[in-house]
Amino acid sequence: MTVATTPAEFTHSLLGLEGSTAVVTGASQGIGLAIAETLAKAGADVIGVSYGMASGESDARTAVEAQGRAFTPLSCDFSDREQVSALAADLASRRVDILINNGGTIRRTPAATHSDEDFDHVLDVNLRTAFVLSREVGKTMLERGSGKIVNTASMLSFQGGINVPGYTSSKSAIAGLTKALANEWAAGGVNVNAVAPGYVATANTHDLRQDPVRSKAILDRIPAGHWADASDIAGAVLFLCSPAASYIHGAILPVDGGWLAR
């Protein structure tokens, strides 16, 4: 084994992703965009998947290609089971070293009025898509004896939340799916883990951040005292994709500024 002799070489050997191809779902904005850019900085080519992902110029393409890496856009409606199956078959025909199941959605209504349609839609997008993609891409990883899968869980994988019964159910299930796949695939050289983001300053939380009462209540609960940036989540994902995390299987890593420790 070659031993790194400088700090740069040491970091490169632990966190470098050169020669790998990473699939990032929900890559058009927010956390997914930050993950795509961060993995490209570490040396990975990126296949970015989102609903209506532009085949031409996009923020994701610009971010990845600025790092000198190749970007491949794929469009998929994660609530459409036929489209998800087609995407899974497409990805299974490629060499995918890293799969980031980040694409997701949320519907906010009280449980007593939360419709079947909303519940099913959220579970299809957040949970079923992650399982189908993991199953089909995971098969190819097992054949090669290597691969990394990182799911996006949530603080609501641990807590109940308010007015989001479908979302909480899906993210609790993502935590369970992560552990189930890790149990089966760790011995085959495939790492399956998840990150659980806290409150992140993205478009999805814009209204919360603009509400002085809710925003103060949230910040008062976060020991770090501020909202996360999408890059904070991306850094944790990079770690779980890297050689530094080769012996981590089935972990749900909170990236929440200490919220769950409060």
Side-chain angles (χ1 to χ4, degrees), residues 3 5 16 30-32 34 52 68 74-75 86 96 101 169 186 193 197 202-203 207 216 228 249 251 254 256 262:
V3 178
T5 58
I31 293 172
L74 296 177
S75 180
V96 173
N101 287 310
S169 297
N193 295 289
T202 65
D207 290 345
K216 182 179 186 304
H249 297 275
D256 63 357
R262 192 60 175 256

Side-chain angles (χ1 to χ4, degrees), residues 24-248:
V24 181
T25 69
S28 63
Q29 62 182 345
I31 293 172
L33 176 59
I35 291 172
E37 181 176 19
T38 297
L39 298 187
K41 286 180 179 178
D45 294 328
V46 175
I47 300 173
V49 188
S50 286
Y51 178 74
M53 173 64 79
S55 59
E57 290 302 313
S58 67
D59 290 343
R61 179 185 291 279
T62 299
V64 170
E65 292 184 347
Q67 307 306 319
R69 309 311 307 175
F71 179 75
T72 302
L74 296 177
S75 180
C76 182
D77 178 351
F78 299 135
S79 69
D80 185 319
R81 293 190 172 193
E82 290 186 3
Q83 288 192 37
V84 171
S85 294
L87 172 64
D90 182 354
L91 295 178
S93 71
R94 307 170 187 252
R95 180 184 174 105
V96 173
D97 304 289
I98 297 165
L99 171 63
I100 311 298
N101 287 310
N102 170 74
T105 191
I106 192 168
R107 295 286 174 87
R108 298 181 185 275
T109 51
T113 56
H114 202 78
S115 69
D116 292 350
E117 291 76 15
D118 280 353
F119 191 86
D120 291 345
H121 175 79
V122 171
L123 262 69
D124 268 355
V125 173
N126 293 1
L127 177 61
R128 187 182 183 280
T129 295
F131 171 66
V132 171
L133 297 185
S134 295
R135 182 186 64 202
E136 299 306 312
V137 174
K139 289 177 186 177
T140 69
M141 292 177 171
L142 289 168
E143 290 170 0
R144 293 195 308 272
S146 66
K148 307 277 189 177
I149 297 176
V150 179
N151 298 318
T152 298
S154 168
M155 290 183 296
L156 298 188
S157 299
F158 306 97
Q159 300 176 325
I162 299 172
N163 297 332
V164 286
Y167 184 83
T168 298
S169 297
S170 71
K171 292 303 184 179
S172 296
I174 281 290
L177 177 64
T178 298
K179 296 172 186 178
L181 296 182
N183 285 342
E184 293 193 36
W185 294 353
V190 179
N191 297 75
V192 185
N193 295 289
V195 291
Y199 284 95
V200 186
T202 65
N204 285 342
T205 61
H206 176 269
D207 290 345
L208 282 177
R209 287 181 285 119
Q210 296 305 306
D211 183 329
V213 176
R214 287 286 285 125
S215 181
K216 182 179 186 304
I218 289 167
L219 290 174
D220 286 347
R221 168 72 187 268
I222 301 174
H226 62 87
W227 292 67
D229 185 81
S231 62
D232 295 320
I233 314 304
V237 171
L238 170 60
F239 166 66
L240 291 174
C241 293
S242 74
S246 62
Y247 198 62
I248 299 178

Side-chain angles (χ1 to χ4, degrees), residues 2-19:
T2 301
V3 178
T5 58
T6 69
E9 290 174 348
F10 181 72
T11 301
H12 174 82
S13 67
L14 284 178
L15 298 177
L17 302 178
E18 288 76 8

